[in-house]
């Protein structure tokens, strides 16, 4: 009687254990499937957007890789169902393991990228959870006694070689090309001066060239040209050492003084011409040359001895950021309530005109996971022409100068002073 009861109890316990094991097994299966399907959806979403809209070839290649991994992850999901429940395909286990491993590597890489670049904690938490989940998926699938066709050492060596090859390819073909310094140049040339009919004035034709000898395009944020006329009397003897030292210690900007000379007594220059020389907001294509021609006119009896020309262009790399239309701010004048940053307010005797635009990141991951950026261009006017300053802000906080230059490719190209004496022209009187 007791034996029968014990036998019934043992059978019930075995059935309960089998049921519990079956439930645990199905819970494992569901959790792994959930991780792989979420990975497939996330990678497919970002990969498709990058493949169709990234600014550069490396960005679109990254999108293609994400789409491929999403497909492998989905294939691993289907193989896992067959391996776990049906066993109809002999190699479904290795395929499921491959899908889980590919998901783990990609989720881990994206998580580290988001930690370095993203603003969204929600996306960081999501890919952090996917990374842990895909690690769990690899562990669970590996414990299902998968039969790998090749010896495990060969498989391990193949996986390691693949990881090294992918890393080397990404470094050589994706990272290094984005780090290449692209530096256009500005050239200033002068034609022969032209004298008016009555010999009362003369004009110096000035040609400015923006030469882009690279495969990258640029967006123009602003350009500025100005000419400074100077009196340069000569001393018959060297200046006294103490006087030279005093002038050298007061040297603040290259345009205003020349402490290296002991004979030329440079006087502060006067602004005689200032203007933009290229429309703002326009593009400059790869391997393109843009020229502008400006006429600088002075009276024949001018008291100046020489004239110096300066030109600058403020640009942003089109492969790192896309700009919406650059347009005047709602309050575009600082003297009429235009908003200025605190560091600019501390500068006195400057009036500013303000232009602004929104930025678009050059890839789908950054566009989705980073806060919107805003570019503002300030034209500051003073006695020496105009200074162009630009800031990039996110939620009211300015990006650092290093981020502005390195990440978004905002740069300033300058040339000058290009000097010309006026003595030969004035002798024509």
């Amino acid at each position: 009687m007791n034996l029968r009861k014990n036998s019934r109890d043992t059978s019930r316990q075995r059935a309960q254990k089998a049921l519990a094991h079956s439930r645990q097994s199905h819970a494992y299966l569901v959790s792994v499937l959930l991780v792989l399907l979420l990975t497939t959806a996330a990678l497919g979403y970002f990969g498709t957007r990058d493949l169709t809209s990234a600014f550069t070839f490396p960005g679109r290649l990254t999108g293609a890789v994400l789409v491929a991994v999403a497909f492998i992850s989905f294939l691993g999901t289907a193989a896992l169902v067959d391996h776990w429940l049906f066993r109809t395909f002999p190699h479904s286990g290795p395929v499921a393991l491959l899908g889980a491993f590919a998901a783990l590597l990609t989720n881990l890489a994206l998580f580290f990228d988001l930690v370095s670049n993203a603003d969204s904690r929600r996306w960081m938490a999501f890919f952090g959870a996917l990374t842990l989940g895909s690690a769990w998926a690899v562990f669970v699938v590996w414990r299902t006694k998968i039969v790998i066709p090749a010896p495990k050492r060969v498989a391990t060596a193949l996986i390691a070689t693949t990881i090294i090859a992918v890393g080397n390819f990404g470094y050589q073909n994706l990272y290094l090309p984005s780090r290449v310094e692209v530096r256009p140049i500005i050239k200033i040339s002068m034609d022969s001066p032209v004298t008016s009919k009555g010999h009362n004035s003369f004009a110096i034709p000035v040609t400015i060239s923006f030469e882009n000898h690279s495969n990258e395009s640029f967006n123009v944020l602003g350009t500025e040209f100005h000419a400074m006329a100077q009196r340069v009397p000569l001393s018959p003897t060297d200046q006294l050492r103490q006087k030279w030292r005093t002038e050298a210690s007061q040297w603040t900007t290259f345009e205003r003084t020349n402490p290296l000379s002991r004979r030329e007594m440079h006087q502060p220059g006067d602004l005689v011409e200032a203007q933009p020389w290229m429309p703002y907001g326009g593009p400059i294509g790869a391997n393109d040359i843009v020229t502008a021609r400006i006429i600088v006119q002075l009276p024949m009896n001018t008291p100046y001895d020489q004239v110096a020309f300066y030109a600058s262009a403020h640009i942003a790399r089109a492969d790192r950021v896309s700009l919406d239309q650059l347009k005047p701010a709602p309050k575009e004048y600082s003297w009429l309530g235009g908003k200025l940053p605190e560091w600019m307010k501390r500068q006195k005797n400057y009036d500013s005109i303000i232009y602004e635009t929104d930025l678009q990141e050059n890839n789908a991951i950054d566009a989705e996971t980073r806060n919107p950026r805003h570019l503002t261009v300030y034209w500051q006017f003073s006695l020496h022409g105009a200074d162009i300053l630009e800031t990039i802000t996110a939620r009211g906080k300015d990006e650092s100068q290093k981020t502005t230059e390195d990440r978004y490719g905002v740069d300033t190209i300058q040339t000058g002073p290009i000097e010309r004496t006026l003595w030969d022209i004035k002798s024509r009187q």
Side-chain angles (χ1 to χ4, degrees):
M1 186 76 178
N2 293 333
L3 291 175
R4 292 177 181 175
K5 183 178 181 180
N6 291 337
S7 176
R8 286 197 298 271
D9 291 342
T10 302
S11 299
R12 186 180 299 112
Q13 291 174 356
R14 288 177 179 174
Q16 290 175 347
K17 289 181 179 178
L19 181 60
H21 182 268
S22 176
R23 289 176 177 174
Q24 184 183 37
S25 176
H26 282 80
Y28 284 172
L29 174 61
V30 170
S31 64
V32 173
L33 290 178
L34 180 62
V35 169
L36 293 181
L37 287 176
L38 285 176
T39 298
T40 300
L43 299 187
Y45 170 72
F46 286 118
T48 303
R49 289 183 58 186
D50 263 345
L51 187 60
T52 57
S53 62
F55 295 171
T56 62
F57 171 75
R60 299 202 174 201
L61 183 60
T62 300
V65 171
L66 293 180
V67 170
V69 175
F71 176 76
I72 293 173
S73 178
F74 181 75
L75 192 62
T77 303
L80 179 63
V81 173
D82 179 78
H83 174 69
W84 204 285
L85 300 177
F86 305 110
R87 306 271 178 166
T88 57
F89 182 63
H91 300 305
S92 58
V95 174
L97 182 61
L98 175 64
F101 186 73
L104 172 60
L105 287 182
T106 309
N107 287 330
L108 183 62
L110 286 177
F111 175 70
F112 282 133
D113 178 72
L114 294 183
V115 169
S116 301
N117 299 309
D119 298 318
S120 173
R121 296 187 180 275
R122 176 172 57 88
W123 279 109
M124 280 189 277
F126 176 75
F127 274 100
L130 278 186
T131 300
L132 295 177
S134 51
W136 161 256
V138 171
F139 175 74
V140 170
V141 176
W142 179 263
R143 290 192 62 188
T144 58
K145 298 180 180 180
I146 292 177
V147 179
I148 300 177
K152 291 187 177 182
R153 290 184 179 180
V154 176
T156 303
L158 180 61
I159 292 173
T161 304
T162 302
I163 294 174
I164 294 174
V166 171
N168 181 69
F169 175 83
Y171 179 77
Q172 294 285 344
N173 297 279
L174 302 181
Y175 178 77
L176 287 183
S178 68
R179 299 292 96 189
V180 173
E181 182 70 21
V182 177
R183 188 86 178 168
I185 59 175
I186 297 176
K187 293 181 178 180
I188 294 179
S189 61
M190 294 168 282
D191 292 339
S192 300
V194 179
T195 307
S196 64
K197 291 183 178 180
H199 292 275
N200 296 322
S201 63
F202 64 91
I204 302 177
V206 179
T207 301
I208 309 172
S209 300
F210 184 102
E211 299 184 3
N212 177 22
H213 301 293
S214 71
N215 294 323
E216 305 297 342
S217 299
F218 296 91
N219 294 308
V220 178
L221 306 180
T223 59
E224 190 266 351
F225 165 84
H226 69 274
M228 303 292 293
Q230 299 171 317
R231 298 177 180 88
V232 189
L234 294 179
S235 172
T237 59
D238 287 350
Q239 299 180 52
L240 296 177
R241 174 173 292 182
Q242 187 56 46
K243 186 176 184 301
W244 181 84
R245 287 179 176 177
T246 301
E247 290 184 357
S249 64
Q250 296 174 351
W251 184 23
T252 56
T253 60
F254 182 71
E255 296 90 342
R256 297 180 185 174
T257 58
N258 186 6
L260 301 181
S261 173
R262 297 191 181 190
R263 290 290 181 97
E264 293 183 3
M265 296 181 290
H266 274 249
Q267 306 295 321
D270 294 326
L271 182 67
V272 294
E273 182 73 29
Q275 66 181 79
W277 54 276
M278 192 188 306
Y280 67 83
I284 297 178
N287 298 298
D288 197 5
I289 297 177
V290 179
T291 60
R293 190 174 178 85
I294 296 175
I295 305 299
V296 178
Q297 189 167 339
L298 290 170
M300 189 63 75
N301 60 351
T302 178
Y304 303 113
D305 298 303
Q306 68 181 30
V307 64
F309 303 115
Y310 304 83
S312 66
H314 294 246
I315 56 177
R317 282 181 59 163
D319 63 324
R320 296 190 184 177
V321 67
S322 176
L323 303 178
D324 292 341
Q325 183 180 2
L326 188 63
K327 55 187 177 181
K331 295 183 178 180
E332 60 179 309
Y333 305 109
S334 62
W335 58 91
L336 294 179
K339 187 177 180 181
L340 298 177
E342 290 299 325
W343 59 270
M344 192 176 292
K345 291 180 180 178
R346 291 192 291 267
Q347 301 180 21
K348 298 180 180 179
N349 300 323
Y350 279 94
D351 292 323
S352 299
I353 299 179
I354 307 168
Y355 298 86
E356 61 183 13
T357 183
D358 293 326
L359 302 186
Q360 298 178 18
E361 304 280 352
N362 66 349
N363 64 85
I365 297 174
D366 287 343
E368 182 70 30
T369 62
R370 289 171 64 82
N371 296 328
R373 262 59 179 175
H374 190 76
L375 172 72
T376 306
V377 179
Y378 302 93
W379 285 72
Q380 285 192 320
F381 297 92
S382 68
L383 298 177
H384 290 85
D387 294 323
I388 304 175
L389 305 172
E390 53 277 320
T391 61
I392 294 178
T393 58
R395 293 187 175 180
K397 183 180 179 181
D398 290 349
E399 294 277 16
S400 66
Q401 188 67 25
K402 179 177 177 58
T403 300
T404 300
E405 294 176 357
D406 293 348
R407 182 179 184 86
Y408 295 105
V410 175
D411 200 0
T412 302
I413 312 300
Q414 297 177 316
T415 189
I418 306 299
E419 297 182 338
R420 190 199 193 286
T421 180
L422 302 178
W423 295 336
D424 62 323
I425 303 174
K426 293 167 66 175
S427 65
R428 299 178 184 178
Q429 296 183 78

